[in-house]
Every structure is written in structure tokens, then in C-alpha cells.
Amino acid sequence: MKPKINNITAWKQAELLMQPAFIRILDHIRKKLENSVWQGTYEEVQTPIPGYRLDLEYENQKISINVWELCYQVCFSNYISTHAAEETVEIDIDINLLNEEGNVNWDMLDEKALKVVENMMADLPKVE
């Protein structure tokens, strides 16, 4: 799903948050995969939005996850993933991720990124 940002302030806040969210998401995925049976690889994709896909594989199971979707879950307070990639939804910045000066609140961002990655891992098919 494509996020839609309707004002310049929210756009600037999204620009400020997306790269740190991306970095924290990748770091948490790396740490979780170290203690997992799943093997992960990244691939650059162009559609529906240029970005990165995480391919997880274990035995005969393969799962693909859009990394931007994970970042959106971190940065936006009302973002819900759907299977309709072309769908556009108006979003709200999670202002809890910003401090009083309008800068990144690193502790809150890291905490939310970890929760998003933990939820992603919990949603993977159960393996024995």
C-alpha cells in the first residue's frame, strides 16, 4: 500500500524518520535471523514502489517481505499493510518518534522498530 502525505510538515517528518527506521529495521532483522532457522537475503525491487524486499527461506518455505512496509509501520501511526500494493491511504506521522525539538527520538524509534520486527518474525509460519 502506498502512503499518502498531504502536508509539507508531515512530508518533512517522514523524510526525517524513514532512513533511521530503515536502519533500525535492518539491524533488528539481522539480530533476529542470527538465532533463527530462517535464512534471509535482500533484493532491490522497482515495483510497486522502488525499495527492498527481504526473502526468508527455510527448507521448502519461502516468504517475501517488503522492507518499506515495515518502515511505514514504524513511521506512521495509522499504517496497516494490505495485499493491494496499488492502494493509497492517507497516513499520520507517529509524532511519538519525534522529540520536543522535532528531531528523531532514537529510543522510541528503536523500540517501535524492534516491536515491528518481532511481530514480523512471530507471523512467520511455525517451523519444527
Side-chain angles (χ1 to χ4, degrees), residues 91-123:
I91 54 84
D92 296 317
I93 301 294
D94 184 347
I95 57 170
N96 294 317
L97 302 178
L98 301 170
N99 62 24
E100 292 174 4
E101 294 81 36
N103 297 317
V104 176
N105 180 331
W106 287 96
D107 292 333
M108 293 295 291
L109 183 121
D110 190 52
E111 190 176 304
K112 191 169 180 188
L114 176 59
K115 183 177 179 183
V116 166
V117 170
E118 287 175 340
N119 290 340
M120 176 206 75
M121 295 297 288
D123 288 343

Side-chain angles (χ1 to χ4, degrees):
M1 171 181 352
K2 298 176 187 176
K4 181 178 180 183
I5 302 172
N6 283 333
N7 67 65
I8 192 71
T9 300
W11 185 263
K12 287 182 180 187
Q13 291 170 330
E15 284 183 326
L16 182 67
L17 291 170
M18 283 298 288
Q19 183 179 16
F22 180 74
I23 292 167
R24 297 312 305 142
I25 288 284
L26 294 182
D27 190 47
H28 287 302
I29 289 171
R30 178 189 56 79
K31 289 176 183 174
K32 293 293 181 187
L33 290 179
E34 286 176 355
N35 299 315
S36 172
V37 296
W38 293 93
Q39 297 297 310
T41 56
Y42 292 96
E43 184 174 334
E44 192 170 352
V45 295
Q46 297 302 314
T47 59
I49 300 171
Y52 298 93
R53 181 180 72 213
L54 169 63
D55 291 324
L56 296 171
E57 194 168 343
Y58 176 69
E59 293 182 347
N60 63 345
Q61 299 180 70
K62 188 170 184 178
I63 306 291
S64 291
I65 297 167
N66 182 325
V67 178
W68 283 139
E69 294 267 336
L70 300 176
C71 294
Y72 298 156
Q73 290 175 43
V74 172
C75 294
F76 309 132
S77 61
N78 62 332
Y79 186 81
I80 300 171
S81 297
T82 68
H83 295 289
E86 298 77 27
E87 183 181 349
T88 302
V89 66
E90 193 170 319
I91 54 84
D92 296 317
I93 301 294
D94 184 347
I95 57 170
N96 294 317
L97 302 178
L98 301 170
N99 62 24
E100 292 174 4
E101 294 81 36
N103 297 317
V104 176
N105 180 331
W106 287 96
D107 292 333
M108 293 295 291
L109 183 121
D110 190 52
E111 190 176 304
K112 191 169 180 188
L114 176 59
K115 183 177 179 183
V116 166
V117 170
E118 287 175 340
N119 290 340
M120 176 206 75
M121 295 297 288
D123 288 343
L124 292 174
K126 302 298 177 216
V127 293
E128 298 181 24

